[in-house]
């Protein structure tokens, strides 16, 4: 059985004190919800403070990005070793990084390998643009993104995948449960062909894109979908709590 996961991507929001306040608002209730992995991914600068706030709870911590070198003259970057000390997960290949920071499949692949090397669990994001979706190229684009991600089984055994159609991110225009289930089914089938049924069966694949407390049920009730990567709605304690609670009740 795959344990469902709800991961909150706070993106570039919250100062350190706002981040602490947000976690404090939901810490107790979140901690008591079972049967679901609860991950919050605040900005880098808040990771250490939040690590202390959630110490001893069942809430897990993730970062939003990583650099692939371990250390050295890379001003402004954050290395896998630094993150391994602080958190368990790291979002890699988010479409906003691919789009605004020119992250190619090759860079994403290096980051995933660097994270796995130090025991961090990547949440690897893949997804197609609106024009690719409308041109019927979704499966082709996803295959390309998955192909640029190494040929080794360990790779898919150690990570969580997030299918995030770019046209659904931050737009309020979520995919339907059926659409997301069908595409995630395709991703799982592809992994099965490449790396075997066991790996494909075990890998968790989340849906991401305008998930809210009002539509989460539509996604988590689908057999292929193992939870959600939540952006905007993860910045409101009550909304995030409701998403996690509903997920724990399936
Ligand atoms: C995201 O940032 O990964 C995301 C899915 O954002 P939103 O939920 O706001 O669409």
């Amino acid at each position: 059985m795959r344990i469902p996961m709800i991961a909150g991507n706070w993106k570039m929001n919250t100062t350190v004190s706002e981040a602490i306040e947000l976690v404090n608002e939901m810490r107790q209730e979140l901690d008591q919800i079972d049967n679901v992995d609860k991950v919050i991914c605040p900005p880098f600068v808040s990771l250490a403070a939040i690590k202390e706030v959630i110490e001893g709870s069942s809430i897990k911590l993730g970062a939003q990005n990583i650099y692939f070198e371990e250390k050295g003259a890379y001003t402004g970057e954050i290395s896998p070793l630094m993150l391994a000390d602080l958190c368990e997960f790291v979002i890699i290949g988010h479409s906003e990084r691919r789009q605004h920071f020119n992250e190619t499949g090759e860079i994403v692949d290096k980051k995933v390998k660097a994270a796995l090397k130090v025991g961090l669990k990547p949440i690897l994001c893949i997804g197609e643009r609106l024009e690719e979706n409308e041109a019927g190229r979704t499966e082709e684009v996803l295959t390309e993104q998955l192909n640029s991600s190494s040929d080794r089984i360990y790779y898919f055994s150690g990570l969580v995948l997030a299918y995030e159609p770019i046209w659904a991110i931050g737009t309020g225009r979520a995919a339907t449960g059926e659409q997301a289930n069908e595409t995630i089914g395709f991703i799982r089938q592809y992994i099965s062909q490449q790396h075997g049924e066991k790996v494909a069966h075990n890998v968790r694949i989340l849906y991401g894109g305008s998930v809210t407390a009002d539509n989460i049920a539509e996604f988590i009730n689908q057999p292929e979908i193992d939870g959600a990567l939540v952006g905007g709605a993860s910045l409101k304690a009550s909304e995030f709590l409701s998403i996690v609670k509903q997920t724990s009740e399936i």
Side-chain angles (χ1 to χ4, degrees):
M1 278 299 286
R2 299 183 295 266
I3 299 168
M5 171 188 282
I6 299 293
N9 173 16
W10 294 8
K11 311 196 189 197
M12 198 175 70
N13 294 294
T14 67
T15 60
V16 177
S17 54
E18 286 166 348
I20 293 171
E21 199 181 314
L22 179 54
V23 179
N24 274 331
E25 263 183 79
M26 50 189 180
R27 199 198 95 101
Q28 222 173 354
E29 268 190 83
L30 210 49
D31 185 32
Q32 283 163 4
I33 306 173
D34 296 325
N35 308 321
V36 48
D37 271 351
K38 303 147 287 193
V39 184
I40 50 174
C41 305
F44 283 136
V45 292
S46 298
L47 284 173
I50 291 189
K51 183 176 187 258
E52 273 187 38
V53 177
I54 61 173
E55 194 85 57
S57 80
S58 56
I59 304 164
K60 299 173 185 221
L61 198 54
Q64 298 173 18
N65 183 31
I66 194 172
Y67 193 56
F68 49 78
E69 296 290 350
E70 276 184 9
K71 60 180 169 181
Y74 302 100
T75 303
E77 290 298 330
I78 304 289
S79 90
L81 283 175
M82 295 170 192
L83 288 181
D85 247 12
L86 286 172
C87 53
E88 185 175 339
F89 292 92
V90 56
I91 298 171
I92 296 179
H94 193 282
S95 62
E96 287 153 16
R97 295 215 56 88
R98 294 183 195 250
Q99 187 186 339
H100 303 304
F101 302 96
N102 303 320
E103 285 195 12
T104 60
E106 194 187 334
I107 292 172
V108 170
D109 183 44
K110 280 186 180 177
K111 290 185 170 192
V112 171
K113 285 180 183 147
L116 289 171
K117 196 173 160 199
V118 297
L120 279 165
K121 297 171 189 156
I123 300 174
L124 172 60
C125 302
I126 56 174
E128 82 286 0
R129 293 201 296 266
L130 181 62
E131 60 270 27
E132 293 164 337
N133 180 282
E134 286 175 347
R137 294 185 52 226
T138 299
E139 295 188 357
E140 180 195 328
V141 171
L142 295 175
T143 303
E144 204 176 293
Q145 289 173 346
L146 288 164
N147 269 342
S148 66
S149 302
S150 179
D151 49 0
R152 285 178 234 151
I153 289 178
Y154 86 87
Y155 195 95
F156 284 100
S157 310
L159 54 72
V160 176
L161 275 171
Y163 166 57
E164 299 207 307
I166 297 169
W167 45 270
I169 298 178
T171 58
R173 180 187 165 187
T176 64
E178 289 79 29
Q179 274 174 333
N181 189 62
E182 194 182 318
T183 307
I184 289 177
F186 165 78
I187 294 168
R188 206 178 292 289
Q189 198 184 1
Y190 175 82
I191 295 172
S192 176
Q193 279 159 10
Q194 300 294 312
H195 307 294
E197 212 176 306
K198 191 167 168 222
V199 174
H201 179 76
N202 289 335
V203 69
R204 286 187 287 187
I205 312 180
L206 315 180
Y207 165 75
S210 297
V211 168
T212 63
D214 289 337
N215 65 16
I216 183 67
E218 200 186 322
F219 299 105
I220 50 171
N221 282 310
Q222 300 286 344
E224 296 290 353
I225 304 179
D226 301 315
L229 180 55
V230 184
S234 69
L235 289 164
K236 280 196 209 126
S238 58
E239 183 93 4
F240 192 66
L241 276 167
S242 169
I243 291 171
V244 174
K245 252 186 225 151
Q246 291 181 59
T247 305
S248 77
E249 284 158 9
I250 51 164

